[in-house]
Amino acid sequence: MWHSTYNALWTDAQVELSSLLSQELPAQPPRPEKDRVVFFQRLVTLYVRYVQIFRQLEECYDQVLHPQKRRVIRLVLDGVMGRVVELKNEMVDKEFSEYHYMDDVVQDLKLTPAHIEIPIPRYFTRECGKELQERKAMLTNILNLTEATERPRPVGIQDLNKLRVEEAINIIQLAERARQGCLRAKLMKEILRGEEWHRKVKNKDPDASQRDSAAVCIQKVWRGYVQRKWTKHSRQEELIFLGMAIDSAQDQLCTAVTTKQANEASRRLRQEEHEADFQTSTVTFTENLRDVEGPDIMETMQEQIRQWFLECQNATGSFPDYPAEEDGGSALIFAEKNPQELREEIAAKEEEEANKKPKGKEEKELKRKKDRGKDAEEEEDVGLKMLPSAFLSDLEGGSKTFVDVWQNRSESNNYNQRHEAELIKEEMRKQIEAEIRVQVDELMRQELANLKPAANKDKGGKPKASPKKKKDKDLTADRSLESLCRELVERGLLIQADNVKLQDYLGDYSYLGTTLRQTDIEPMPSLFDVRQVVALYAVLPLGSPVVHEKAPLVRAVLLAGPAGVGKKTLVHAICQETGATLFDLSPLSTAGKYPGRSGLAMMLHIVFKVARLMQPSVIWIGDAEKMFYKKVPKEEKELDPRRLKKYLPKVLESIKEGDRVLVVGTTDDPLRAEVSALCKTYNKIILIPRPDYASRYVMWKQLIRKHGGEMSALDLSSLTKISDGYTQGHMVRVVRNVLTERRILQQDTRPLTAAEFVPALAKIDPVFQDEEEALKNWYAMTPLGRKRAKAATGKEEDQAPAKSKSSKKKGKKQ
């Protein structure tokens, strides 16, 4: 694709974004919406339209070559990502559910489910590729060293006692099959020796009639084989022509797709070249501007500030206080204000700081009257409003930059899409002015202190020293990062993530979600919905520092569902999509390590310190319910699974907006845990159900193809129906057992059938309806589940006016 194609795609995205900004930032604030359904439809429409812009901008940022354009696109892309996350959280607050079904809005906008899937920006791992490679190399070296130091032990009685029942049965079966094979080979040798002896005894040539019959027999077999092969080929061609089968050649990439991928890869290489050239030119222009224009800029600033000193003295009779560095320093002076207004503003700030003390009775009464007036206004404007956004200002600034600089800019002389020198100079001139302003402020503060009379100094008083914040003591200040990583690897707390992408978590869209909810039936989410929620809560905040800093903070996520639904796969996929470091704090992994209270504090300190230094990081807690057991089983008392129960919530509170660290817990049996303690630790709980019919159909199809199976005669619909209740892990196990190397080779003469998978499925216990209902009942006890239940029964609306009345009574009593 050419440069003009991506420029046009960027323009379309910016036009759509401008339309949304005019809708979200109107001239007059919109009135609250009283109808919850209408308000939620508005939220869903905004969400879908922002996702469309997100997909377009991500494609542009990945392929645009111009380095200065890419910076503007990146600013808007991060803002759109953050806005999508904000809208998702707002939809959760309004609908009291982590899963939303928007098939009616998708249908109205003429879109498909693929258009609303959250894309994973490719720059998450591509722009920090060198850092990830160095980190991976360091972990690999540590793993190799630890493996070399461990001596292999001979298999003895203790090792055999640790074997599981399935492993022991497999070993016995293997030995028995080997014994039977040896006996069978010995028997065949004896039979062959007997046949050779009979031939030697007879020693007669066959007749000509026997030769003819043998030739005819060979011909019949060969012609039958050729005819069957031709018939199968013609039948397959007919099915492909009718659209009832997929051509095997379609599985392989066609020439156009291969060419497109090659072009995209070459454009990424050219991006790196243009970026390196841009960085070099930026350094050169900055040095030249600092040498040539720097002295003039400094002299001009000093003259302006001195002039401001004189104007303030003439207007007020005394020299002003110099603006603090936190307020912008001398940049505040050059705003469009006269000296008197500026002095009044500074004095007003000082008064506000002084008035932070407890107020008197008269001020409290005035405040009560104001609050009552506000309550009356709020009662008049009862309804739902959009929450304030932290990203709309960034989107507005990026849109303005696009309109002012790039929308009508002529690039006829820049065919190769390299940087533009004039734009670099304008940008660097602002940066140099900011640097020089800091130096000028220091000099002018000293000059102002010398000019002020002694009386004016006394009026100002000594500034109060700000209270010093207590810093947490670093228990490992004398140790390097590599030594800490080595210790964690040796203890099994720092592991490498599997090479799994989020797209590998297969699942189809829920097409009847809205219809079921309209009939007061709560549908179970599909695996597509699970993938979307994980991308919004985990992948986007970990991958983008801007989104993590400004979007609603998610410190811990709990993935709850039956065994085999892919919870661990999702954890590894989060790490692969964001390049995150993976830590394992599961109860079984931490058992017997770092004993005692001091050891536990040291373990948490090392893990979270390394997690912050190597961010983004994911801290995985498998079997999360064990940490919050209602009653610890006897066989697990020695492991002490609840040792992290008190300390983990305290450590989670230390995760701030800048720390891209996420705690992900997985649980198969949350019913055994205390619901309140579990919900306090994990502020987001995602329920993962067993796969529905559509997801199972997609999974069977992909898994059989991945393992070399052909589906020419396979009744996939029947197999999908039969496998109701089985999870993804069960399906993977069945496919591996059925599609052995020998069975794959026999597909030409004996095609695969659905009946072959039934015996393997029958050996596995599915997830029964009772287990799924128990999980749903447990989720109904979580905070979000209780809110959803109240909203479904209409209690939420009934309680709203009661709360307002009680608040009035409290106000009167006060």
Side-chain angles (χ1 to χ4, degrees), residues 734-770:
V734 168
V735 171
R736 286 177 179 172
N737 291 337
V738 173
L739 292 179
T740 59
E741 293 183 7
R742 183 179 180 185
R743 184 65 188 89
I744 292 172
L745 295 175
Q746 293 175 350
Q747 288 184 106
D748 294 336
T749 57
R750 188 162 61 92
L752 277 175
T753 60
E756 296 182 55
F757 295 89
V758 175
L761 282 171
K763 296 178 181 178
I764 304 172
D765 293 331
V767 178
F768 296 102
Q769 191 70 26
D770 297 341

Side-chain angles (χ1 to χ4, degrees), residues 269-392:
L269 292 175
R270 292 168 65 186
Q271 275 181 4
E272 296 178 0
E273 295 175 2
H274 290 193
E275 181 65 25
D277 190 15
F278 172 74
Q279 295 291 348
T280 305
S281 300
T282 301
V283 173
T284 304
F285 287 137
T286 304
E287 292 176 354
N288 292 336
L289 287 173
R290 189 178 284 112
D291 295 338
V292 176
E293 300 184 8
D296 295 337
I297 294 172
M298 179 178 286
E299 186 177 351
T300 303
M301 284 184 182
Q302 289 177 341
E303 290 178 358
Q304 290 176 345
I305 294 172
R306 290 191 185 100
Q307 183 65 27
W308 177 69
F309 290 165
L310 296 175
E311 291 177 359
C312 287
Q313 186 184 23
N314 295 332
T316 61
S318 61
F319 287 106
D321 293 331
Y322 206 89
E325 192 173 339
E326 294 79 11
D327 298 331
S330 59
L332 191 65
I333 299 171
F334 303 113
E336 296 180 358
K337 297 177 183 177
N338 56 37
Q340 183 65 28
E341 291 175 344
L342 185 61
R343 185 176 180 82
E344 290 176 357
E345 184 178 350
I346 295 172
K349 286 184 179 179
E350 293 177 355
E351 288 181 4
E352 287 180 3
E353 293 178 359
N355 290 336
K356 287 182 180 178
K357 298 177 181 179
K359 300 182 178 180
K361 294 182 179 179
E362 297 179 358
E363 293 179 351
K364 287 183 180 180
E365 289 178 2
L366 291 172
K367 188 178 179 182
R368 286 174 191 170
K369 291 179 181 179
K370 289 180 181 178
D371 292 341
R372 289 173 187 173
K374 288 180 181 178
D375 292 339
E377 292 178 0
E378 287 177 0
E379 287 178 3
E380 293 178 0
D381 296 336
V382 174
L384 299 171
K385 293 182 180 180
M386 296 281 287
L387 297 176
S389 172
F391 295 94
L392 288 179

Side-chain angles (χ1 to χ4, degrees), residues 560-625:
V565 294
K567 300 182 291 295
K568 187 177 178 181
T569 301
L570 287 172
V571 174
H572 289 274
I574 293 169
C575 297
Q576 284 295 328
E577 295 289 2
T578 59
T581 310
L582 181 59
F583 300 85
D584 185 5
L585 284 184
S586 304
L588 291 177
S589 300
T590 58
K593 300 169 185 175
Y594 296 97
R597 183 176 297 179
S598 59
L600 184 60
M602 177 63 75
M603 179 183 70
L604 291 175
H605 168 75
I606 294 175
V607 168
F608 278 86
K609 178 181 178 180
V610 175
R612 287 186 176 92
L613 293 175
M614 301 180 68
Q615 59 180 297
S617 300
V618 173
I619 298 174
W620 172 46
I621 301 178
D623 298 327
E625 78 280 356

